Amino acid sequence: KNEVEQSPQNLTAQEGEFITINCSYSVGISALHWLQQHPGGGIVSLFMLSSGKKKHGRLIATINIQEKHSSLHITASHPRDSAVYICAVEEGGSEKLVFGKGTKLTVNP
Amino acid sequence: DAGITQSPRHKVTETGTPVTLRCHQTENHRYMYWYRQDPGHGLRLIHYSYGVKDTDKGEVSDGYSVSRSKTEDFLLTLESATSSQTSVYFCAVRGVDSPLHFGNGTRLTVT
């Protein structure tokens, strides 16, 4: 069974700080997704990646397939980045996705 | 916007009654999923579909059934609702090698 572990579970930062959220998984995957959920809100896809690195605005996602690890970085964090960030993996050869439990980020002004 | 609509958005029902939640998409994506989200558990897969009339169970499928008779619609049915099924239910869709898109969720309360 694929286990998806996120760290930290909770993260509090000051506005402007550089944020890193980590995701580790235990079996081979075909792709990894990073998602964002604001309080009381819906879930939005940030990135889908299977290798290397992707960047969108102040967000950067990286993945190391050999180490079974991915990171989501937020540069120059802002209070509007406060949300739960969720990692999900597509197991190789399967249509299923396995989700981490999320990292709750709070950015204070 | 992947054109995903969940209905109803909120529902309160009594224990033992049947409940059907609907997920409708406009993009003809192949894969559709039903998840429940509960504090401390994150998103857990109930059932998913990989095509019309092709469905499979997820990790928390007991007490739930699904149907997909058309590409655009994926229905989740609670045959006899229980209080443990009080949750927020999310539908998600994706195409082959494409990102996930989520509906806005359905908040279900079973009294």
Side-chain angles (χ1 to χ4, degrees):
Chain A
K1 179 183 174 184
N2 200 2
E3 301 288 340
V4 179
E5 299 289 338
Q6 286 187 237
S7 62
Q9 285 186 304
N10 293 282
L11 180 57
T12 300
Q14 289 300 121
E15 184 173 356
E17 287 185 1
F18 182 84
I19 304 293
T20 296
I21 299 170
N22 298 298
C23 176
S24 297
Y25 50 92
S26 55
V27 302
I29 66 169
S30 54
L32 183 144
H33 301 255
W34 281 104
L35 310 165
Q36 179 193 57
Q37 185 175 27
H38 281 104
I43 302 170
V44 175
S45 176
L46 298 175
F47 295 103
M48 173 185 168
L49 64 166
S50 54
S51 65
K53 176 180 173 178
K54 287 190 176 180
K55 184 175 189 289
H56 184 244
R58 295 180 294 106
L59 273 60
I60 303 166
T62 64
I63 189 168
N64 185 318
I65 296 295
Q66 287 73 31
E67 294 187 2
K68 296 186 173 59
H69 181 268
S70 175
S71 293
L72 177 68
H73 306 286
I74 304 174
T75 61
S77 59
H78 189 277
R80 65 175 175 266
D81 296 326
S82 297
V84 175
Y85 292 84
I86 304 167
C87 168
V89 301
E90 295 180 33
E91 297 181 346
S94 169
E95 301 88 4
K96 294 182 182 180
L97 296 112
V98 180
F99 287 78
K101 293 185 178 180
T103 294
K104 184 178 180 181
L105 172 65
T106 302
V107 182
N108 294 317
Chain B
D1 183 6
I4 303 168
T5 306
Q6 286 188 234
S7 59
R9 291 296 312 278
H10 303 270
K11 185 165 182 70
V12 180
T13 191
E14 293 184 349
T15 298
T17 59
V19 177
T20 295
L21 308 182
R22 180 180 183 238
C23 178
H24 178 79
Q25 59 148 330
T26 60
E27 301 294 321
N28 289 322
H29 287 306
R30 177 178 179 182
Y31 302 108
M32 299 185 76
Y33 304 84
W34 275 109
Y35 293 94
R36 59 179 291 175
Q37 187 177 44
D38 304 288
H41 289 279
L43 286 154
R44 292 182 292 173
L45 179 64
I46 305 171
H47 283 279
Y48 69 101
S49 170
Y50 45 95
V52 174
K53 297 185 180 178
D54 291 322
T55 65
D56 205 350
K57 296 179 179 180
E59 60 184 305
V60 290
S61 60
D62 287 348
Y64 301 95
S65 62
V66 290
S67 66
R68 192 172 179 196
S69 58
K70 298 184 290 185
T71 299
E72 58 265 37
D73 288 323
F74 193 33
L75 304 180
L76 177 70
T77 298
L78 290 65
E79 301 292 345
S80 177
T82 67
S83 58
S84 65
Q85 293 175 313
T86 292
S87 186
V88 179
Y89 291 84
F90 284 97
C91 171
V93 304
R94 69 180 179 96
V96 177
D97 295 328
S98 67
L100 279 167
H101 300 281
F102 282 82
N104 289 325
T106 295
R107 186 171 295 275
L108 176 67
T109 302
V110 183
T111 61

